[in-house]
Amino acid sequence: QVHLVESGGALAQAGDNLRLSCKASGITLTNYAMSWFRQAPGKEREFVAGISWKSGNTDTADSVKDRFTISRNNAQRTIYLQMNSLKPEDTAIYYCATGAGWNPSVRDPDGYHYWGQGTQVTVSS
């Protein structure tokens, strides 16, 4: 059974940095990419960044590319999302997801089979 467990969400101030983590179990990671999505209240879930487990290739949404970085630790079966210079508009529940194949650029959330429970990030101005 696939489990994705996010952590690291917090209440932050504008300009702060946070790092989210997502630990995976129950899946052969080298066959897949893993991605971060976020969903703000009243908005659709949006792609933030993805990373291929095997190659390490990444893709990041243009809206956060200059501030967010996705990375992985294969031994820990964990991906990270380093979020710098947070803004109030970054406030959302952040989810990790996998199961859409090896391509880290799959941006449609319907393409993913497995999701974590989400972690809340709230950024105050």
Side-chain angles (χ1 to χ4, degrees), residues 8 14 18 25 46 54-55 59 63 70 80 85-86 97 107 110:
L18 282 178
S25 62
E46 66 171 347
K54 189 171 184 178
S55 68
D59 187 21
S63 60
I70 189 171
Y80 305 96
S85 303
L86 284 164
R107 300 190 172 207
D110 290 339

Side-chain angles (χ1 to χ4, degrees), residues 9-70:
L11 175 62
Q13 303 241 339
D16 284 352
N17 302 333
L18 282 178
R19 189 177 78 158
L20 306 183
S21 302
C22 174
K23 187 172 180 67
S25 62
I27 190 169
T28 303
L29 293 171
T30 51
N31 294 338
Y32 293 100
M34 285 186 68
S35 297
W36 287 99
F37 285 77
R38 66 184 183 184
Q39 188 165 20
K43 295 189 175 182
E44 294 186 350
R45 194 167 296 191
E46 66 171 347
F47 174 87
V48 176
I51 186 165
S52 168
W53 275 105
K54 189 171 184 178
S55 68
N57 290 342
T58 64
D59 187 21
T60 305
D62 288 343
S63 60
V64 300
K65 185 172 285 188
D66 59 341
R67 299 184 295 120
F68 291 10
T69 303
I70 189 171

